[in-house]
Amino acid sequence: MFLYACKFEITLFSLNSLFPLSPRYLPAGSDVAVGVKRGSDELNMYSSSPNSMAANGSDSKKQRLDESPPSRVLHIRKLPSEVSETEVIALGLPFGKVTNILMLKGKNQAFLELGTEEAAITMVNYYTAVTPQVRNTPVFIQYSTHKELKTDSALNQRAQAVLQAVSAVQDGSSPSSNPGVLDLNPPPSPVLRIIIDNMFYPVTLDVLQQIFSKFGTVMKIITFTKNNQFQALLQFSDPVNAQQAKLSLDGQNIYNSCCTLRIDFSKLVNLNVKYNNDKSRDYTRPDLPTGDGESTNKDHSLLGTPSGALASYSSGGGYSSSLSLSLCGGAISPLSAAAAAAAAAGRVALSGSGVSGVLLASNLNEEMVTPQSLFTLFGVYGDVQRVKILYNKKDSALIQLSDGNQAQLAMSHLNGQKVFGKVMRVTLSKHQTVALPREGLDDQLLTKDFSGSPLHRFKKPGSKNFQNIFPPSATLHLSNIRDGVGEDDLRLLFSNSGGSVKAFKFFQDRKMALIQMSSVEEAIQALMDLHNYDMGGNHHLKVSFSKSTI
């Protein structure tokens, strides 16, 4: 029998790529087995083993793998040097009880012992089809030749403490870890406060419900924006579930390299939800009114329709299916352990989501709006390719961005904003592209192609612009300020854009600054007028919205 490693293009749940510690996979009250020391020479037999499971995607060719006899002890190699015990344990938790762990950080290796051989087989079969990754690094997993992992607790103290802490969280008892190894005081509240940093893609209430429901029953969620940051309050049915979610998800990314979860316990112990809509939900009270007339199952998430969020795989171990994450119905199909684990970890393709990259902006001020002003404003949230103001309806325009994800992001932040004195409406367009007029037919210059513009903010992979995307705010961030330009100069410049400057603050190097206008509308106007403003000396001012206040 041969196993094959196939290449898959997948988007990770996070850079750390942790599976949630789901209670449905770890029986409560399980004990941790700690045996006696085994010689470290055992590692030599693994260093060049031909049956290691190559990380899918490290080679475009299928690799033929020899199969060792199954064992509930798994050998994990090529781990990142900074890997934590929790991350290694999390690889195995979705498949069953983890009973022992041995970390060998000097060798970038670890041994993981599962409760049963069947659980280990399920894990190996699953990772044959889906690349095992830790901190965005492919790792290698194979069966150990040993049937039981024997460790010296004195030499493996921290790993054992973490494992015991995980088990303690699972059954609600107090862990017997050493002081300072892992702080697991009794959870103070079933309510978590969640802040989303680096929110490059919109995060909906339904996305939060699906991620956090892997740790227990989510009863209520309230979302809101505070200090220009998207936040949420989420209530579990049990404080232990809240603690479990916080331990596993705090600091993780919902999508690759962005939308970072910052989680703490709320001082509240119970949430009062009045409406079931896109901003708040009480899952115990489906009879609540929507309040604002919005549908409760409207899908504004970047994952799009259920069919658009599809990542197929064949696990090689009896599972042959696909992951389909439906935000409308909250359904994950199929409900096998491996599939649910992958869906919980966000291993669904974001590219090709079926969402159009073209937006329709309406209720525009046709006397003021231009393709350039729309390019600059929508360019805060994506790389605008083309803009077309409609010939027979000049208060409307089509804006084409690089992909559907950027279009969703721009729509979520700009719909309802006041621009040129009118409340702009932004929706997804039925068009897939914006057609350019035939040469000589656009005498009013209503259509413009920006595909080759040097002003695209997100063309360079890893750009810091990805980390500085915020909703429109009265405070603007200025950068690339030329030497010799002072506060008075900048105040005058921004006042001339038709607004009133309320506050100003230079950063220490005086190449960046914050400037606060009297309203969000004035800040939007200033950004459209002054982003890329030529300050002389080959210095073009860069303007973006800030999450900070002065």
Side-chain angles (χ1 to χ4, degrees):
M1 177 177 177
F2 301 102
L3 298 178
Y4 292 91
C6 306
K7 182 176 181 180
F8 282 80
E9 297 296 335
I10 56 176
T11 300
L12 300 180
F13 167 73
S14 66
L15 284 176
N16 293 353
S17 194
L18 287 184
F19 282 114
L21 315 184
S22 176
R24 73 183 71 174
Y25 303 125
L26 259 187
S30 56
D31 293 326
V32 177
V34 181
V36 296
K37 180 181 177 182
R38 189 176 64 187
S40 59
D41 292 340
E42 67 183 31
L43 298 176
N44 296 332
M45 66 184 74
Y46 299 110
S47 58
S48 59
S49 176
N51 69 305
S52 62
M53 185 192 312
N56 315 330
S58 62
D59 191 343
S60 61
K61 296 181 180 180
K62 291 183 178 180
Q63 297 183 0
R64 178 172 170 173
L65 304 172
D66 295 328
E67 186 180 14
S68 294
S71 167
R72 66 190 184 99
V73 179
L74 300 177
H75 181 213
I76 305 171
R77 299 188 295 116
K78 302 291 185 181
L79 288 165
S81 57
E82 69 276 15
V83 69
S84 69
E85 291 83 354
T86 306
E87 290 168 284
V88 176
I89 293 170
L91 282 172
L93 281 173
F95 306 97
K97 181 173 61 175
V98 176
T99 53
N100 210 344
I101 181 174
L102 175 64
M103 296 291 293
L104 297 154
K105 292 191 174 182
K107 296 179 179 289
N108 299 102
Q109 299 179 23
F111 288 90
L112 199 66
E113 179 186 276
L114 276 74
T116 65
E117 190 175 287
E118 181 183 5
I121 292 172
T122 302
M123 178 175 170
V124 168
N125 285 339
Y126 175 70
Y127 284 130
T128 301
V130 177
T131 311
Q133 300 214 17
V134 176
R135 299 200 177 205
N136 213 23
T137 301
V139 299
F140 294 72
I141 301 177
Q142 65 193 50
Y143 293 119
S144 168
T145 57
H146 297 269
K147 298 298 182 183
E148 182 182 359
L149 182 59
K150 297 181 179 180
T151 58
D152 187 333
S153 59
L155 299 177
N156 197 29
Q157 204 168 55
R158 177 180 170 84
Q160 290 298 323
V162 173
L163 187 55
Q164 290 175 7
V166 170
S167 297
V169 169
Q170 202 62 53
D171 61 18
S173 64
S174 299
S176 57
S177 56
N178 289 339
V181 174
L182 195 62
D183 182 16
L184 280 176
N185 294 320
S189 168
V191 179
L192 295 176
R193 183 173 69 102
I194 303 158
I195 297 175
I196 309 292
D197 283 342
N198 300 333
M199 194 165 140
F200 182 59
Y201 297 124
V203 176
T204 66
L205 181 148
D206 297 300
V207 168
L208 292 173
Q209 193 273 338
Q210 288 209 358
I211 292 171
F212 283 83
S213 66
K214 307 309 162 199
F215 302 88
T217 301
V218 174
M219 299 179 67
K220 304 171 186 178
I221 306 178
I222 298 174
T223 63
F224 55 95
T225 300
K226 184 177 180 181
N227 298 328
N228 292 324
Q229 283 187 313
F230 180 85
Q231 300 188 28
L233 293 172
L234 185 146
Q235 181 177 340
F236 279 99
S237 59
D238 191 317
V240 171
N241 299 137
Q243 185 178 45
Q244 187 180 22
K246 180 181 181 298
L247 281 171
S248 189
L249 293 179
D250 186 29
Q252 303 301 307
N253 297 327
I254 297 176
Y255 302 118
N256 197 21
S257 303
C258 65
C259 297
T260 307
L261 292 164
R262 304 296 180 194
I263 304 172
D264 208 340
F265 287 106
S266 170
K267 294 179 181 178
L268 302 173
V269 294
N270 185 51
L271 298 180
N272 182 23
V273 177
K274 297 181 179 179
Y275 305 112
N276 282 339
N277 54 35
D278 291 337
K279 303 296 182 184
S280 62
R281 195 78 54 84
D282 186 337
Y283 295 95
T284 68
R285 292 281 310 280
D287 58 311
L288 289 178
T290 58
D292 54 5
E294 293 189 15
S295 170
T296 59
N297 63 352
K298 191 181 293 183
D299 183 9
H300 285 165
S301 80
L302 92 118
L303 296 180
T305 59
S307 60
L310 193 64
S312 299
Y313 74 96
S314 174
S315 71
Y319 300 106
S320 180
S321 188
S322 64
L323 301 181
S324 180
L325 184 58
S326 164
L327 298 186
C328 295
I332 297 176
S333 177
L335 295 177
S336 67
R347 294 176 180 271
V348 287
L350 297 180
S351 59
S353 63
V355 178
S356 169
V358 180
L359 296 172
L360 173 63
S362 58
N363 199 39
L364 302 172
N365 186 331
E366 57 185 270
E367 302 295 327
M368 302 286 291
V369 70
T370 64
Q372 182 66 46
S373 62
L374 292 175
F375 165 78
T376 303
L377 177 58
F378 282 78
V380 172
Y381 302 105
D383 291 337
V384 176
Q385 304 299 307
R386 294 175 181 176
V387 177
K388 180 176 186 176
I389 296 176
L390 303 186
Y391 182 79
N392 294 321
K393 192 172 173 52
K394 292 186 174 62
D395 69 344
S396 299
L398 295 173
I399 300 103
Q400 180 180 337
L401 291 99
S402 292
D403 56 47
N405 298 335
Q406 293 183 0
Q408 285 271 9
L409 183 69
M411 180 178 69
S412 67
H413 284 313
L414 294 177
N415 181 42
Q417 295 293 341
K418 203 169 185 180
V419 181
F420 296 124
K422 299 185 71 174
V423 177
M424 179 174 64
R425 300 300 177 195
V426 184
T427 60
L428 289 173
S429 169
K430 64 182 179 181
H431 298 282
Q432 296 300 310
T433 59
V434 172
L436 294 174
R438 281 181 285 179
E439 190 173 350
L441 294 184
D442 187 17
D443 56 347
Q444 297 184 39
L445 301 178
L446 298 177
T447 305
K448 189 165 183 181
D449 186 353
F450 294 97
S451 58
S453 173
L455 299 182
H456 288 158
R457 296 179 187 245
F458 310 106
K459 188 161 53 177
K460 183 180 178 182
S463 167
K464 287 185 178 180
N465 290 330
F466 285 99
Q467 303 173 21
N468 294 295
I469 298 175
F470 306 107
S473 63
T475 305
L476 297 169
H477 181 274
L478 314 181
S479 60
N480 204 34
I481 300 172
R482 184 170 64 87
D483 290 341
V485 174
E487 177 179 338
D488 291 342
D489 300 316
L490 290 168
R491 280 179 174 268
L492 179 61
L493 179 65
F494 279 78
S495 296
N496 288 340
S497 71
S500 175
V501 176
K502 294 297 183 185
F504 183 91
K505 178 183 178 182
F506 262 123
F507 286 77
Q508 190 170 4
D509 60 3
R510 298 182 69 85
K511 293 180 180 178
M512 295 190 294
L514 294 177
I515 190 165
Q516 184 176 333
M517 310 301 289
S518 61
S519 69
V520 175
E521 182 184 2
E522 287 186 4
I524 290 175
Q525 176 73 53
L527 182 142
M528 290 190 295
D529 290 346
L530 297 174
H531 177 61
N532 201 45
Y533 177 81
D534 188 356
M535 305 185 73
N538 199 29
H539 277 73
H540 288 79
L541 185 67
K542 304 302 178 188
V543 185
S544 59
F545 297 115
S546 173
K547 69 175 180 179
S548 305
T549 55
I550 304 174

